[in-house]
Amino acid sequence: MTTMPLIILPDPLLRKVSEPVERIDDDLKKFADDMLETMYEAPGIGLAAIQVGVPRRMLVLDVANKDEDEKRPMVVINPQVLHASDERSVYEEGCLSIPDFYAEVERPAMVRVRYTDLSGKEQEIEADGLLATCLQHEIDHLDGALFIDYLSRLKRDRVIKKFSKSAKAKL
Ligand code: K1U
Ligand code: ZN
């Protein structure tokens, strides 16, 4: 397995709308393994393909409690949100593409999502808690949206400015 470099704000790729995955083959399975390895190494609880520069509608996540011995990796291909609850929940989110910045975001507390798994089988899950938050955060990435988009314009612009400055300083 290989880890891949992460795309960091303000890279314009993060605003790209990803295209559906059309074929599940050995290359895609290897890519899913590499995404999981990259997520665990970061460390993170989720990762969308666009965060490693691949504009495909695919994400991985593992929201298992870190005290648990068992990993619970999920590979989610071409997800569709079928239902989002009116009830909301607030969670302090982070993003591997916006390192060391965290902010509270309010989202639907429960979502029902249809997706294809790595064996090509259609699945449906009803998620709440951290899984619901993480799924929505990752599905947003597939549509070019970031959790900072839910903050006030002032806060969002401040974060973008800070990351743009540090990107320029690295040139
Ligand atoms: O998509 C990403 O950038 C990954 C992101 C997912 C996420 C976190 C929190 C709420 C919603 C979605 C992360 O994994 S940030 C890192 C993080 O949350 C974490 C890191 C180590 C241990 C536990 C959590
Ligand atoms: Zn993110």
Side-chain angles (χ1 to χ4, degrees), residues 9-10 29 35 41 58-59 70 79 89 99 138 140 158:
L9 192 75
K29 288 177 187 169
M35 282 181 68
E41 196 209 50
M58 174 171 173
L59 60 95
E70 287 285 304
S89 72
E138 302 309 332
D140 271 357
R158 265 196 206 139

Side-chain angles (χ1 to χ4, degrees), residues 92-163:
E92 185 169 72
E93 298 192 17
C95 181
L96 298 177
S97 297
I98 313 177
D100 303 320
F101 177 76
Y102 299 87
E104 287 193 339
V105 176
E106 187 183 297
R107 297 182 186 268
M110 190 281 288
V111 283
R112 189 159 59 247
V113 175
R114 179 178 294 156
Y115 67 97
T116 304
D117 70 16
L118 254 196
S119 66
K121 207 169 151 211
E122 200 168 89
Q123 303 279 359
E124 239 175 75
I125 44 164
E126 202 154 271
D128 60 7
L130 182 55
L131 179 58
T133 298
C134 191
L135 266 170
Q136 291 174 78
H137 176 116
E138 302 309 332
I139 292 171
D140 271 357
H141 274 302
L142 309 187
D143 293 322
L146 298 169
F147 82 101
I148 55 171
D149 299 342
Y150 297 93
L151 309 181
S152 68
R153 177 179 285 251
L154 182 69
K155 281 189 188 158
R156 181 172 66 249
D157 288 352
R158 265 196 206 139
V159 177
I160 295 171
K161 201 169 166 188
K162 182 177 159 226
F163 278 82

